[in-house]
Amino acid sequence: MSHSDDPTFEEEDRRVRTRERRVVRKTRDAAPPGTPHATIVEMVGRWVKVREDAGGERRCKVRAPVVVGDRVWIVEEEVIGFAPRRTELRRGGNSGIRIVCANADRLIIVTAATDPPFRAGLVDRMLVAASAGGMGATLVLNKCDLGMPDEVLERVARYEAIGVPSFLLAAVTRKGVEPLRDHLAGQTSVLAGHSGGGKSTLLAALVPGTA
């Protein structure tokens, strides 16, 4: 059974969306007129780090329930509200559904073929999450230098057949990274995938000095 067929999941999702709409209205009403002037780039406990449109980063207190990627208003070192989100990446768990980040254009699903083993179910769930959140999705099969089983290549071909761009590469040696960098140019992207797939190594290859 998929998430969309699960009444419990749908009921929880409706509750979360209703609560979020109320929060958005409340924080938007409390915000000053005009467009937001900063973006949340990091969550630090009860604080957040923001990047201001005018340049520079700083830490601020938080009044609104923001996530990374939110466009926000700041008054006296405090985030007082956030703008409606273009996209959202949601994650379900034992504590319910939560928003992981906002306003990303593309979800980069990072996995490996053999180390750790390829998990089609995880990729499928992430593709659904990207679609539900209004984002595009790209599949990155990392660590290709360690071997590429035929069954994994067949699975990748199926994803490509339904329109999912796929890239085979080895981030540790930078082989195959340039085509992915070109693919992502001009977009805001978020990396996701199971532990050991090489997300940090890939990020360092794409944007040196960030990981």
Side-chain angles (χ1 to χ4, degrees):
M1 176 183 291
S2 67
H3 279 327
S4 60
D5 297 325
D6 186 346
T8 302
F9 180 88
E10 291 183 349
E11 182 179 343
E12 174 66 13
D13 190 54
R14 282 195 297 270
R15 285 198 297 266
V16 170
R17 288 182 180 275
T18 299
R19 183 168 62 250
E20 288 168 358
R21 283 194 294 268
R22 291 172 181 167
V23 169
V24 168
R25 286 196 298 268
K26 182 178 179 181
T27 56
R28 185 176 55 208
D29 292 344
T35 58
H37 52 269
T39 302
I40 303 293
V41 295
E42 185 179 354
M43 310 294 291
V44 190
R46 296 183 179 180
W47 297 74
V48 295
K49 181 185 289 186
V50 302
R51 179 176 297 143
E52 297 183 277
D53 296 349
E57 296 182 353
R58 57 174 164 150
R59 290 207 317 168
C60 295
K61 294 181 180 179
V62 184
R63 183 189 303 176
V66 295
V67 297
V68 169
D70 271 329
R71 296 283 296 157
V72 298
W73 288 271
I74 302 170
V75 174
E76 297 180 354
E77 303 300 317
E78 184 176 39
V79 174
I80 66 168
F82 61 94
R85 294 159 175 157
R86 293 187 299 107
T87 66
E88 296 176 338
L89 179 60
R90 296 165 176 266
R91 180 177 181 179
N94 294 332
S95 58
I97 301 170
R98 66 185 181 91
I99 299 174
V100 179
C101 66
N103 299 319
D105 300 305
R106 184 161 294 274
L107 175 63
I108 311 304
I109 305 168
V110 183
T111 184
T114 60
D115 182 25
F118 184 79
R119 294 166 57 186
L122 178 67
V123 175
D124 292 346
R125 290 193 297 274
M126 289 187 175
L127 289 174
V128 171
S131 178
M135 294 179 290
T138 294
L139 175 63
V140 171
L141 198 62
N142 191 20
K143 302 186 180 182
C144 290
D145 52 325
L146 301 181
M148 289 295 301
D150 289 341
E151 58 269 25
V152 175
L153 290 173
E154 291 172 2
R155 174 67 69 166
V156 172
R158 294 178 193 172
Y159 291 128
E160 292 179 331
I162 61 173
V164 179
S166 301
F167 292 83
L168 279 60
L169 53 82
V172 69
T173 63
R174 306 299 197 264
K175 183 178 180 181
V177 170
E178 286 304 319
L180 176 63
R181 181 183 285 113
D182 292 342
H183 171 69
L184 301 179
Q187 303 181 81
T188 300
S189 302
V190 56
L191 277 64
H194 56 75
S195 178
K199 296 185 294 297
S200 296
T201 304
L202 178 58
L203 181 60
L206 289 169
V207 190
T210 58

